[in-house]
Amino acid sequence: MESTKKYNILKINGENKNMVEDIVVLEYPFTIFIDDEEIITLLCSPKSLKYLAIGFLYSEGFIEDYSVIDNIRIDEDEGRAYIRLKVGKTINEKLQRKRTIASSGGKGTAFYNVLDFLKSRKIVEPLNISIYETKKLMEIFSKSSDLFYATGGVHACAICNNNSIIYFEEDIGRHNALDKVLGKALVENMDLKDKLVLISGRISSEMLIKAVKRGITVIVSKSAPTSLAVHMARELNIVLIGFVRGEKMNIYSSFSSLKF
Amino acid sequence: MESTKKYNILKINGENKNMVEDIVVLEYPFTIFIDDEEIITLLCSPKSLKYLAIGFLYSEGFIEDYSVIDNIRIDEDEGRAYIRLKVGKTINEKLQRKRTIASSGGKGTAFYNVLDFLKSRKIVEPLNISIYETKKLMEIFSKSSDLFYATGGVHACAICNNNSIIYFEEDIGRHNALDKVLGKALVENMDLKDKLVLISGRISSEMLIKAVKRGITVIVSKSAPTSLAVHMARELNIVLIGFVRGEKMNIYSSFSSLKF
């Protein structure tokens, strides 16, 4: 399915006004069902929907591993994922409780439980990466986003090793883009301890938590981190790098892990 | 409370590396309680918290009017809002159901119910606004965001009449910034039918729905709309304007409502 849609719009430029065909980024409602129970409707870009479903369910704690899934069927026309769990498997019980206190756009008490959990997993040795490699990766990453250049309205995420991009995904939502690359890695059973994640948008605490839960130790963004993300990165000894633009970058944590 | 925090970070610029003090945008966990029940934890910027709480509760359908609230107490140090409803008032019953099917970052079936509801309220006559006024308002709006210039990490929203900004709010979250201005208007009982809303970030269907629920008929952004937002704007006869930058702008709907 296309990730954009064409509309006739009125373009104004000073005194000129013209009706022209323009490209708008698609916003696609995508509903996930597990064993016939409706879990959520995500508003997303209609690519890599299987990875989005798996990544979302893992990030939010509905499943603890890909192995619990018997099969997943995507109906693109209806915008639905139908997931069957293996016999005897159920979605996380605690999550059922969490869902009654969390609503869209925020977190319930579970947010604080996650923090406690992560503290127990402080990184002893983050991936070794150099400033030069980081800069080179961000250059490749920045050139990879066709959809952004077409519409100005998407976020991108990538999983990389020290010198190349392994997975690259785009979505209208920052969280969805990250869930897609992490979901793909989960489906393909990729070890992420020696990988880093590149993010086009801001790094909030929730973005950092998603990556850390999967074992990522280096997070690199073109944009700004929040205070809570910096705080957590320092607590957990994650390498957090922001504002990677041309020859410049800001390193927010784990300074000694970087090679120059 | 400050909306930023200072950290010593390592700044790289080509061959130069320096530890410098840098400003990072604050991400502040803010938990809303209604009559001792925990509703949600929002991750936000710690300004205008009362308006955020009220705006969020209205946007998400927990309350149908400000008049149901007896009092609201904000504890800034703890990051909490304690809300008491008037005797005999309860939070929306239907919402209780919705909360069991929606999780963070997306919507449940309720998303589609909102669409049905909005269709019954098609705008007959949107606010009359000129291209010139729109451009001027966006100029003032763009200059208003100190926090963005300090940290590069926030979104802004404003409610305006044809020639000036009435409310201006910033937040690390697009949704929070919009809930703050709409919440303030609700608290101050302002009629929004002859107002427009300015948004720094992307206009998704959810942003459009929040504004429309409060009677807004003109939505203007510096950034891109999504296909679903364009579709809804056309269905509802909302004026949707995007990419307002210098002399340029794109008009996506209700073309005949604009004066030149």
Side-chain angles (χ1 to χ4, degrees), chain B residues 38-50:
Chain B
E38 182 181 329
I39 303 293
I40 193 157
T41 298
L42 298 170
L43 298 164
C44 65
S45 302
K47 286 265 164 81
S48 302
L49 293 170
K50 175 181 171 183

Side-chain angles (χ1 to χ4, degrees), chain A residues 8 10 12 14 25 27 38-39 41 60 99 101 104 107 109 112 172 202 205 226-227 234 247 249 251, chain B residues 8 10 12 14 25 27 29 38-39 41 99 101 106-107 109 172 202 205 226-227 234 247 249 251:
Chain A
N8 286 314
L10 184 60
I12 310 288
V25 70
E27 184 182 6
E38 183 181 328
I39 302 294
T41 297
E60 296 294 321
R99 287 166 73 204
I101 53 165
S104 61
K107 296 278 170 180
T109 315
Y112 295 98
I172 53 165
R202 197 183 59 221
S205 59
T226 65
S227 64
R234 291 181 176 194
E247 292 296 311
M249 66 182 74
I251 301 163
Chain B
N8 286 315
L10 184 59
I12 309 289
V25 70
E27 184 181 6
E38 182 181 329
I39 303 293
T41 298
R99 286 165 75 203
I101 52 165
K107 296 278 171 180
T109 314
I172 53 164
R202 197 181 60 218
S205 59
T226 66
S227 64
R234 290 181 176 194
E247 292 296 311
M249 65 183 75
I251 301 163

Side-chain angles (χ1 to χ4, degrees), chain A residues 127-130 133-135 137-138 157-167 181-182 191-199 211 215-221 239 241:
Chain A
L127 169 65
N128 251 302
I129 181 152
S130 74
E133 288 164 338
T134 305
K135 208 172 64 181
L137 284 170
M138 190 53 90
C157 278
I159 286 174
C160 315
N161 59 28
N162 284 41
N163 45 50
S164 62
I165 289 178
I166 304 168
Y167 302 139
V181 288
L182 294 175
D191 186 358
L192 298 183
K193 287 196 184 57
D194 58 348
K195 309 295 184 301
L196 63 149
V197 67
L198 299 185
I199 295 175
I216 290 280
T217 61
V218 180
I219 300 174
V220 179
S221 171
V239 180
I241 306 178

Side-chain angles (χ1 to χ4, degrees), chain A residues 45-184:
Chain A
S45 302
K47 286 266 164 77
S48 303
L49 294 170
K50 177 181 170 182
Y51 303 135
L52 173 59
I54 300 298
F56 172 83
L57 293 174
Y58 183 89
S59 286
E60 296 294 321
F62 285 89
I63 59 171
E64 279 165 8
D65 200 347
Y66 181 56
S67 67
V68 301
I69 290 175
D70 185 41
N71 73 73
I72 173 166
R73 182 170 70 79
I74 305 291
D75 183 328
E76 268 206 6
D77 296 331
E78 281 197 37
R80 290 179 169 203
Y82 297 100
I83 291 169
R84 292 266 159 221
L85 299 182
K86 285 185 182 156
V87 175
K89 299 289 181 186
T90 53
I91 57 174
N92 192 340
E93 285 292 325
K94 279 175 283 180
L95 212 275
Q96 291 288 25
R97 231 189 88 250
K98 173 186 163 193
R99 287 166 73 204
T100 64
I101 53 165
S103 174
S104 61
K107 296 278 170 180
T109 315
F111 179 69
Y112 295 98
N113 299 343
V114 171
L115 296 194
D116 288 341
F117 163 71
L118 289 177
K119 276 179 196 160
S120 67
R121 304 209 304 181
K122 184 165 174 161
I123 309 300
V124 179
E125 203 173 343
L127 169 65
N128 251 302
I129 181 152
S130 74
I131 299 294
Y132 178 80
E133 288 164 338
T134 305
K135 208 172 64 181
K136 283 285 161 202
L137 284 170
M138 190 53 90
E139 275 173 27
I140 304 168
F141 179 67
S142 297
K143 286 178 188 151
S144 307
S145 187
D146 293 339
L147 192 57
F148 179 79
Y149 289 111
T151 66
V154 296
H155 295 279
C157 278
I159 286 174
C160 315
N161 59 28
N162 284 41
N163 45 50
S164 62
I165 289 178
I166 304 168
Y167 302 139
F168 178 89
E169 296 286 351
E170 293 174 301
D171 202 282
I172 53 165
R174 285 183 307 135
H175 287 265
N176 294 338
L178 184 54
D179 281 338
K180 282 178 179 178
V181 288
L182 294 175
K184 189 165 187 183

Side-chain angles (χ1 to χ4, degrees), chain A residues 30-50:
Chain A
F30 176 55
T31 305
I32 303 173
F33 293 81
I34 297 181
D35 291 339
D36 302 322
E37 188 194 352
E38 183 181 328
I39 302 294
I40 193 157
T41 297
L42 298 170
L43 298 164
C44 65
S45 302
K47 286 266 164 77
S48 303
L49 294 170
K50 177 181 170 182

Side-chain angles (χ1 to χ4, degrees), chain A residues 7 27, chain B residues 115 118-119 121-124 126 203-209 212 216-220 225-242 251-255 257:
Chain A
Y7 288 94
E27 184 182 6
Chain B
L115 297 193
L118 288 177
K119 275 180 197 158
R121 304 210 304 181
K122 184 166 174 159
I123 308 299
V124 178
I203 304 168
S204 63
S205 59
E206 291 177 290
M207 294 288 279
L208 184 130
I209 288 168
V212 171
I216 289 280
T217 61
V218 180
I219 300 174
V220 180
T226 66
S227 64
L228 211 45
V230 174
H231 175 77
M232 285 181 197
R234 290 181 176 194
E235 287 267 327
L236 301 171
N237 200 27
I238 299 289
V239 180
L240 179 61
I241 305 178
I251 301 163
Y252 293 91
S253 58
S254 195
F255 305 115
S257 306

Side-chain angles (χ1 to χ4, degrees), chain B residues 155-225:
Chain B
H155 295 279
C157 279
I159 285 173
C160 315
N161 59 28
N162 284 40
N163 45 50
S164 62
I165 290 177
I166 305 168
Y167 302 139
F168 178 89
E169 295 287 351
E170 292 175 301
D171 201 281
I172 53 164
R174 288 184 304 135
H175 287 265
N176 294 339
L178 184 54
D179 281 339
K180 282 178 178 178
V181 288
L182 294 175
K184 189 165 188 183
L186 198 65
V187 168
E188 300 194 348
N189 201 23
M190 175 176 281
D191 186 358
L192 298 184
K193 286 196 185 58
D194 57 350
K195 309 295 183 302
L196 63 149
V197 67
L198 299 185
I199 296 174
S200 62
R202 197 181 60 218
I203 304 168
S204 63
S205 59
E206 291 177 290
M207 294 288 279
L208 184 130
I209 288 168
K210 277 177 199 270
V212 171
K213 272 180 81 176
R214 287 287 286 118
I216 289 280
T217 61
V218 180
I219 300 174
V220 180
S221 171
K222 282 168 82 166
S223 181

